[in-house]
Amino acid sequence: MAQHLFHALTPMPDDPIMGINQMFQTDPREGKVNLSIGVFLNEAGKIPLLEVVEEAEKRLAERRLAHGYLPIEGLAVYRDLVQGLVFGESSPARLDGRITTVQTLGGTGALRIAARFAHDFLGFKRAVVPDPTWGNHIAILKAAGFEVSAYPYYDRAAGDAAPEALVASLEALEEPTLILMHACAHNPTGCDLTCEVWERVGDILEGKGHLALLDMAYQGFARGIDEDAEAIRMLAARGLNFLASSSSSKNFGLYGERVGALHAVCASKQEAETVLTILKSIVRCEYSCPAEHGARIVAEVLGDPELSQQWRQAVDKMRRRVEAMRAELSAALKREGAEIPALDRQKGMFSFTGLTADEMKTLREEFAVYGVSNGRICIAGLNLRNVGPAAHAIAEVLKRRG
Ligand code: LMR
């Protein structure tokens, strides 16, 4: 007799970001504009293959490496170089050996390992995330067993971060909580916290036994490679114990290679060694060991002073292109008689437009301009050809508000 073990299942909704991106791919309309997923596109509307990545791949191909397993914790040279990139070469915590870094399957993989570590091994049961945040943060934390709630991050009327409400909300947390924060280029709002606010967050973390998890998916896209790591470096300099996730997806253009890292800043070298054994045990269960190719590319680039310098220039160039497109969109909107007031202030790949889900749907269905239904658009998807039509579409939708 045939079995029907799955008959009671109902389909899950599409992912709010990946699903829209897929919808874009199958849209047959000419002139469609993809501002949905957080991917850097060049002026030609393509994901660029960075020259340094091409050079690294050439060198790797010449070495004709076999495809063995990496250690559970990842490629040693990648872990070391990326730790230096995130914390700074002269970070005292790094020099003391107090930071454990494991290579992960992208930034998402790092968050998953971090969530399991905090929940299963440190006993944290409650987590808070900014309102708004990247939707997958909530899903990952819930999947690890956390009870998740939000702290205020954004003042919609002012179109800016809401530091006073944020600090008050974190101060009011009673039991030790996992506090997820965006290290830079906040996704989706594009509004970051000042150093002064980060110091106040540091005071809260110090006093109440909370554990911070700083997610840094966009290092280099807000203000600069070192500037974007300031919050992480500041918490480390204060001697706090915390977690940070980093990703090489965006700043190396290695999206599909799934290369990222989880860093745990500990109180001592011995503690860091213990944490490493635990993180390894989690990774082994989840996916055994990370993938190799992307990590080798990043290590080849960062390990070569000349390539590393060229890479820094390439990241600066990507950031400047996004800034130029932001200015271009702002100017084009004004020409259309419209405005997104916070646009010029926002940093990183995104603009949080303030458009409603219905307005985003109209943009998509009527004008073939694809953004995320929370009102986020990816500025890095704009170019000199599509910025005019995109601005026209946004302006039309805004004018309908009456
Ligand atoms: C995004 O926010 O669009 C990116 O981080 C891609 C993703 O995985 O959602």
Side-chain angles (χ1 to χ4, degrees):
M1 204 177 82
Q3 282 190 308
H4 292 286
L5 294 181
F6 311 135
H7 80 282
L9 298 177
T10 51
M12 293 288 270
D14 270 346
D15 180 79
I17 296 174
M18 295 284 194
I20 300 267
N21 186 48
Q22 274 312 111
M23 209 188 274
F24 172 84
Q25 307 303 334
T26 55
D27 186 333
R29 286 176 286 180
E30 291 264 331
K32 59 183 178 175
V33 182
N34 191 1
L35 308 180
S36 62
I37 196 157
V39 160
F40 175 88
L41 301 182
N42 61 17
E43 187 50 39
K46 301 263 185 290
I47 296 175
L49 174 61
L50 299 190
E51 278 175 31
V52 289
V53 168
E54 210 175 338
E55 173 59 24
E57 288 194 297
K58 207 170 96 205
R59 292 185 191 176
L60 291 174
E62 279 161 9
R63 263 179 244 153
R64 300 183 60 76
L65 299 166
H67 301 281
Y69 287 124
L70 283 184
I72 296 172
E73 67 275 24
L75 188 70
V77 60
Y78 172 84
R79 293 164 52 222
D80 181 54
L81 288 162
V82 162
Q83 188 185 91
L85 190 66
V86 169
F87 291 88
E89 282 310 327
S90 55
S91 149
R94 172 168 161 75
L95 298 177
D96 293 349
R98 288 193 286 112
I99 309 175
T100 278
T101 296
V102 293
Q103 182 197 328
T104 55
L105 292 184
T108 306
L111 291 166
R112 168 72 182 162
I113 304 302
R116 281 212 47 210
F117 173 60
H119 185 273
D120 299 353
F121 291 85
L122 299 176
F124 286 89
K125 301 293 172 223
R126 283 174 49 93
V128 290
V129 298
D131 172 23
T133 193
W134 182 55
N136 215 17
H137 281 151
I138 299 166
I140 290 167
L141 291 167
K142 283 191 174 162
F146 279 99
E147 192 189 306
V148 184
S149 55
Y151 58 86
Y153 186 85
Y154 187 67
D155 179 337
R156 283 168 203 267
D160 211 343
E164 295 309 323
L166 172 149
V167 166
S169 172
L170 297 186
E171 264 170 356
L173 291 172
E174 291 196 341
E175 62 184 276
T177 301
L178 177 73
I179 301 178
L180 186 141
M181 304 190 75
H182 299 227
C184 67
H186 182 269
N187 175 6
T189 69
C191 296
D192 285 337
L193 303 175
T194 61
C195 287
E196 188 258 322
V197 177
W198 276 110
E199 290 289 359
R200 290 168 71 193
V201 170
D203 293 340
I204 297 168
L205 292 170
E206 219 164 62
K208 294 259 186 82
H210 302 309
L211 174 68
L213 166 55
L214 269 64
D215 183 14
M216 184 159 67
Y218 295 90
Q219 187 177 9
F221 281 92
R223 291 183 296 139
I225 291 168
D226 291 308
E227 294 83 344
D228 289 352
E230 268 171 12
I232 289 179
R233 293 178 189 182
M234 189 275 287
L235 295 188
R238 287 181 67 136
L240 286 163
N241 299 163
F242 66 100
L243 305 173
S245 56
S246 66
S247 167
S248 307
S249 298
K250 329 273 176 182
N251 54 19
F252 279 84
L254 288 173
Y255 306 90
E257 295 297 342
R258 310 310 299 133
V259 57
L262 173 64
H263 317 269
V265 185
C266 308
S268 68
K269 187 165 190 282
Q270 192 198 3
E271 232 178 72
E273 281 161 8
T274 303
V275 169
L276 178 62
T277 64
I278 295 169
L279 297 180
K280 282 171 65 174
S281 76
I282 300 172
V283 169
R284 178 69 171 144
C285 266
E286 295 277 347
Y287 50 81
S288 195
C289 62
E292 187 175 19
H293 188 62
R296 286 218 183 270
I297 294 171
V298 174
E300 193 67 29
V301 173
L302 294 180
D304 177 316
E306 210 174 301
L307 284 188
S308 174
Q309 190 52 33
Q310 282 174 34
W311 170 72
R312 283 178 173 265
Q313 287 163 0
V315 175
D316 288 346
K317 205 167 142 199
M318 288 195 278
R319 185 183 61 255
R320 282 199 298 271
R321 199 190 94 70
V322 182
E323 285 166 358
M325 281 305 124
R326 189 180 288 283
E328 202 55 48
L329 177 63
S330 176
L333 280 170
K334 286 198 183 106
R335 284 197 293 276
E336 295 279 345
E339 193 182 11
I340 299 174
L343 181 63
D344 301 320
R345 239 195 331 266
Q346 295 159 345
K347 296 252 178 276
M349 280 201 195
F350 303 116
S351 173
F352 202 44
T353 60
L355 266 64
T356 63
D358 279 344
E359 289 168 334
M360 295 306 285
K361 190 163 174 253
T362 306
L363 264 190
R364 186 172 74 238
E365 290 181 350
E366 223 176 286
F367 299 94
V369 174
Y370 283 70
V372 182
S373 58
N374 65 1
R376 188 192 86 173
I377 56 171
C378 180
I379 301 291
L382 291 169
N383 56 52
L384 290 174
R385 282 164 296 115
N386 69 18
V387 66
H392 174 72
I394 294 169
E396 282 301 308
V397 170
L398 286 172
K399 279 176 202 161
R400 289 182 197 172
R401 282 181 178 178

